[in-house]
Amino acid sequence: MASVVKINVLTVPAEQREVLEQRFAARAGSVESSDGFEWFELLRPLEGTDQYLVYTRWRSEADFEAWMAGSMRGAHKPSEGEGDGGEKPKPAATGSTLWSFEVVQSTGPKASDAS
């Protein structure tokens, strides 16, 4: 069975970039123990776009769906100290699109023969 990749494309205004990155940093570790989770990366745009990519790889679509229905909800609740007077903080992103892919080929660095 091939892994599945989910890429959440977040449109983030320049003034909200630091907020978004801090929120992800505060939730570090919240997805890693999920059944079927394989990889996570938050990708910051370098030029020409205001879109961040949130890359996750899962063992199966079912594992991703189970995370969405369960622990993802907890991971996206405001952290301690976020918001004023118990108010929910405003989203850092102004838009979101989810892309889904099946891994057809994958490779890593070639082993070095240096001895």
Side-chain angles (χ1 to χ4, degrees), residues 1-77:
M1 181 184 314
S3 297
V4 295
V5 169
K6 301 294 182 172
I7 300 174
N8 195 359
V9 183
L10 301 176
T11 303
V12 183
E15 66 274 7
Q16 290 294 328
R17 286 180 168 201
E18 189 174 336
V19 171
L20 178 88
E21 291 179 24
Q22 287 174 350
R23 288 181 183 170
F24 270 94
R27 289 165 177 77
S30 63
V31 70
E32 286 91 328
S33 59
S34 299
D35 192 39
F37 170 79
E38 296 179 349
W39 200 259
F40 163 85
E41 291 178 319
L42 176 61
L43 306 176
R44 176 194 302 139
L46 293 177
E47 56 192 29
T49 185
D50 58 357
Q51 294 181 317
Y52 275 72
L53 301 182
V54 181
Y55 173 101
T56 57
R57 190 173 70 212
W58 298 86
R59 177 180 53 208
S60 69
E61 181 70 25
D63 290 320
F64 172 75
E65 294 291 338
W67 175 74
M68 287 287 290
S71 60
M72 183 278 295
R73 295 189 190 283
H76 287 80
K77 287 182 181 172

Side-chain angles (χ1 to χ4, degrees), residues 79-102:
S79 299
E80 286 291 318
E82 276 191 342
D84 299 320
E87 291 179 23
K88 185 176 178 181
K90 291 177 60 175
T94 59
S96 174
T97 302
L98 183 65
W99 296 341
S100 299
F101 299 88
E102 183 176 56

